[in-house]
Amino acid sequence: MAPRPELGSDPAVSPPDLDGKDTKDTLSKDAIVLPAYSTVALVDPEPDNAIDPWQLPELQDTGVKWSELDTKGKILRVFISVAKGMLLLGFLYMFVCSLDILSSAFQLVGGKAAGDIFQDNVVLSNPIAGLVIGVLVTVLVQSSSTSSSIVVSMVSSGLLEVQSAVPVIMGANIGTSVTNTIVAVMQAGDRNEFRRAFAGATVHDFFNWLSVLVLLPLEAATGVLYKLTKLVIDSFHIQTGQDAPDLLKVITQPLTKNVIELDSSVISDIAVGDLSARNKSLIKTWCKKEKITVRNENLSKPALQTFCKHLFVNANLPDLAVGLILLALSLLVLCTCLILIVKLLNSMLKGQVAVVIKKVLNTDFPFPFSWVTGYLAILVGAGMTFIVQSSSVFTSAITPLVGIGVISIERAYPLTLGSNIGTTTTAILAAMASPGEKLANSLQISLCHFFFNIFGIILWYPIPITRVPIRLAKALGDRTAKYRWFAIVYLILCFFVLPVLVLGLSLAGWQVLVGVGVPVLTVVVFVVVVNIMQSRCSHCLCPALRSWDFLPKPLHSLKPWDRIVTKVLGFCGARCCFSTY
């Protein structure tokens, strides 16, 4: 193959005139015929246009093939592979433990505030206020199980009606997805990995938000979830059963209980109006032991109170200080473990191993049963979440796999939907272990959570064209890959600023909420519709609306904001570096 002609470094230089008018004296006819400038663009296209960023990367094996190794080399490779596998399990264990401690840290920082938020029953009677309270409380305590248990205890004690609790449960479903979004932000080092990881995490967010946009107005107008769950409970004779198996806690508690132990009942007591709970610390000082039964005698001693042995039992620090310390440490461990897990997976998933794993996880069943694959993935996600008893842990674990390209976002989506179902079945079993007088209300709330996710799946999964969360997550992934700081903006806006603003408007009264909310929603719907028409049928729009160029650039582009963020970060970096000298 002949070498390509070299082009000048200046793209503004025009190619020679192929008619020979300007090059008659300098180039021969043979040289003019050479297709230098006419084919370079075709042979060497722009990488961004040629490569699909969502295509799973090929994890190629660059090492020596197994057949080419001698006995010593084979033994060494097996030993290294086993060592990497053990390290991977160790880092995964620390990753899960750091998520548990992160949840404890958030409870220490904002747990009592969460209890105070739940106290205002008048605000909770507003469905929109109840929704955003569910989001905020779950973000503050980093556990939908904790926020759901608070709601159940309030319903059982008669402080909250079941119908008013349904929007709070919907909000808890949204708030629990913040954990895997935080995990995705930790993969911002590589642009393509970050694109896939952030999309794989936010597909959960979009599913929850879109489901709420449809089902919350429907529930407020018809009470469909309340009536359906009431019918289920009245139709079956349900008796108190066993609590859900606590498999993940058995594995993580040996480490986490030596770091911190919390008394989550303090938050529930504050929520139900116990004034004495305000002066209590969430940090456990005394840990209970089981009752001791004397053999051969019908006597049993009362439960012994023993001094807890975690790190902060003797620390004379307020809950907020301990929470901030644990928050910093858990985020450090979480980030470190995630980076090491990704590097280990990249080194292990090569060659035939990568091919087999990617085929098993991403290949559909042959036609005409290809549609079964997604529903099987939903069952797998539900089963795995039921085993680990945490949708946050499961979705956070598959996020780095989506980032490095082992799992496609199309396969991660049904796994996430199954995870949503799995976490509700755990709550149903936990509700069935409630006392008889609390069983009906506890179970009804858990079933509302279950049917909310079932209806969401019916809306956004069976028909491929309705899988809108995947398309929205990919669009957001492309945007955050180009402007990585936007991921932090999205996280703060969706899980903190927007819920706080809506809560503030709700506290001001429904007139203020409607007066501000309706115009804002109208503008949002108008912008969405115009954007869709611009991309699909721009000729149907008036000339002024065929693009947003008539608006100031900061209102339709992130480039001006990117320049500002870059300058601010550069200034801060220079000041920090200067201050170290």
Side-chain angles (χ1 to χ4, degrees):
M1 181 175 176
R4 289 180 188 168
E6 296 182 359
L7 300 178
S9 59
D10 188 0
V13 177
S14 60
D17 188 359
L18 296 183
D19 292 333
K21 295 177 181 177
D22 299 330
T23 57
K24 194 179 298 182
D25 299 332
T26 56
L27 294 173
S28 65
K29 290 184 179 181
D30 293 336
I32 294 171
V33 174
L34 288 175
Y37 287 90
S38 61
T39 60
V40 164
L42 299 176
V43 175
D44 240 346
E46 289 296 325
D48 292 339
N49 297 331
I51 300 174
D52 181 9
W54 296 104
Q55 185 178 356
L56 295 183
E58 291 294 334
L59 303 175
Q60 298 178 352
D61 191 358
T62 56
V64 182
K65 294 182 178 180
W66 177 264
S67 58
E68 298 175 359
L69 292 173
D70 56 8
T71 305
K72 181 180 178 182
K74 291 180 178 179
I75 294 174
L76 183 61
R77 177 167 290 186
V78 170
F79 176 77
I80 292 174
S81 299
V82 172
K84 285 182 177 180
M86 294 177 66
L87 280 174
L88 182 63
L89 291 175
F91 290 138
L92 187 60
Y93 177 75
M94 292 298 297
F95 175 76
V96 174
C97 289
S98 65
L99 286 175
D100 193 353
I101 295 173
L102 181 68
S103 174
S104 299
F106 272 103
Q107 289 185 53
L108 286 169
V109 172
K112 290 185 177 180
D116 288 332
I117 290 173
F118 269 130
Q119 265 195 306
D120 197 340
N121 299 330
V122 177
V123 176
L124 288 174
S125 61
N126 182 336
I128 297 178
L131 174 75
V132 296
I133 284 174
V135 175
L136 286 172
V137 169
T138 307
V139 169
L140 286 173
V141 300
Q142 281 287 288
S143 172
S144 59
S145 300
T146 301
S147 55
S148 299
S149 66
I150 296 173
V151 174
V152 169
S153 63
M154 292 181 68
V155 172
S156 301
S157 60
L159 293 176
L160 190 64
E161 296 291 332
V162 174
Q163 284 179 297
S164 301
V166 173
V168 183
I169 294 295
M170 293 182 182
N173 209 60
I174 293 173
T176 191
S177 62
V178 70
T179 307
N180 57 321
T181 308
I182 293 173
V183 170
V185 172
M186 303 295 180
Q187 286 185 262
D190 183 270
R191 197 177 295 275
N192 283 326
E193 282 189 13
F194 185 46
R195 174 187 283 109
R196 290 188 293 267
F198 200 76
T202 53
V203 73
H204 193 186
D205 304 349
F206 284 117
F207 169 79
N208 288 331
W209 282 110
L210 289 173
S211 299
V212 164
L213 284 176
V214 175
L215 295 176
L216 181 62
L218 185 64
E219 175 65 20
T222 65
V224 58
L225 290 175
Y226 172 79
K227 293 176 181 176
L228 178 61
T229 53
K230 184 70 173 173
L231 180 64
V232 170
I233 290 177
D234 292 341
S235 301
F236 295 94
H237 182 64
I238 301 172
Q239 296 180 348
T240 302
Q242 295 292 325
D243 201 352
D246 208 358
L247 302 178
L248 188 66
K249 290 288 185 183
V250 173
I251 301 172
T252 59
Q253 268 191 349
L255 176 63
T256 57
K257 74 176 184 181
N258 289 316
V259 178
I260 191 69
E261 284 192 85
L262 300 184
D263 185 5
S264 297
S265 63
V266 174
I267 304 175
S268 300
D269 292 340
I270 293 175
V272 297
D274 187 353
L275 297 178
S276 63
R278 292 182 175 278
N279 298 322
K280 294 180 181 178
S281 173
L282 284 168
I283 302 172
K284 274 189 178 181
T285 305
W286 297 96
C287 298
K288 291 182 180 180
K289 292 291 183 180
E290 294 182 356
K291 294 182 179 181
I292 300 176
T293 303
V294 182
R295 290 185 178 181
N296 301 325
E297 297 182 18
N298 294 324
L299 298 173
S300 61
K301 296 182 179 180
L304 297 175
Q305 294 280 350
T306 61
F307 209 57
C308 294
K309 298 180 180 179
H310 56 82
L311 291 176
F312 296 94
V313 67
N314 290 319
N316 294 321
L317 295 173
D319 288 0
L320 179 60
V322 175
L324 292 174
I325 293 170
L326 289 176
L327 184 64
L329 290 176
S330 59
L331 285 175
L332 177 63
V333 174
L334 181 72
C335 186
T336 304
C337 289
L338 186 62
I339 293 171
L340 294 174
I341 286 172
V342 170
K343 289 187 176 295
L344 273 175
L345 286 173
N346 277 325
S347 66
M348 294 173 68
L349 298 177
K350 292 179 178 179
Q352 287 299 115
V353 177
V355 172
V356 171
I357 291 177
K358 287 172 71 174
K359 279 186 176 180
V360 169
L361 292 177
N362 299 301
T363 304
D364 293 337
F365 288 119
F367 183 81
F369 302 105
S370 56
W371 60 273
V372 178
T373 312
Y375 295 97
L376 182 61
I378 291 176
L379 293 177
V380 170
M384 291 299 297
T385 304
F386 179 77
I387 291 173
V388 301
Q389 281 206 324
S390 173
S391 60
S392 298
V393 170
F394 177 73
T395 53
S396 299
I398 66 173
T399 296
L401 296 178
V402 176
I404 65 174
V406 176
I407 301 177
S408 66
I409 187 173
E410 287 78 12
R411 183 65 73 241
Y413 181 52
L415 288 171
T416 300
L417 301 187
S419 176
N420 272 3
I421 295 176
T423 193
T424 61
T425 56
T426 303
I428 290 171
L429 288 177
M432 291 181 68
S434 302
E437 69 276 5
K438 298 181 180 180
L439 177 61
N441 288 334
S442 302
L443 190 57
Q444 189 173 1
I445 288 295
S446 301
L447 287 175
C448 286
H449 196 185
F450 174 76
F451 282 110
F452 167 75
N453 285 295
I454 293 293
F455 287 164
I457 291 173
I458 293 173
L459 285 171
W460 307 114
Y461 187 74
I463 306 173
I465 197 173
T466 62
R467 295 171 190 174
V468 180
I470 294 179
R471 295 196 291 273
L472 292 176
K474 283 186 174 183
L476 183 61
D478 287 331
R479 185 57 54 91
T480 51
K482 189 174 183 180
Y483 308 106
R484 280 176 270 194
W485 53 267
F486 188 70
I488 305 296
V489 175
Y490 164 82
L491 195 64
I492 295 173
L493 281 178
C494 281
F495 294 102
F496 295 98
V497 176
L498 183 61
V500 168
L501 286 176
V502 175
L503 180 60
L505 293 173
S506 301
L507 293 174
W510 68 267
Q511 296 92 341
V512 177
L513 180 62
V514 171
V516 176
V518 170
V520 171
L521 284 177
T522 303
V523 172
V524 170
V525 171
F526 173 77
V527 170
V528 170
V529 171
V530 171
N531 274 327
I532 293 173
M533 294 182 69
Q534 283 176 350
S535 60
R536 297 189 178 182
C537 52
S538 60
H539 61 276
C540 298
L541 294 170
C542 63
L545 289 177
R546 290 175 185 174
S547 72
W548 297 110
D549 292 339
F550 65 91
L551 293 174
K553 200 167 185 180
L555 294 180
H556 66 90
S557 174
L558 288 178
K559 284 185 179 179
W561 300 105
D562 184 60
R563 287 194 290 268
I564 294 173
V565 171
T566 303
K567 288 181 181 179
V568 170
L569 292 178
F571 175 76
C572 293
R575 292 294 297 270
C576 292
C577 293
F578 181 77
S579 62
T580 58
Y581 290 100

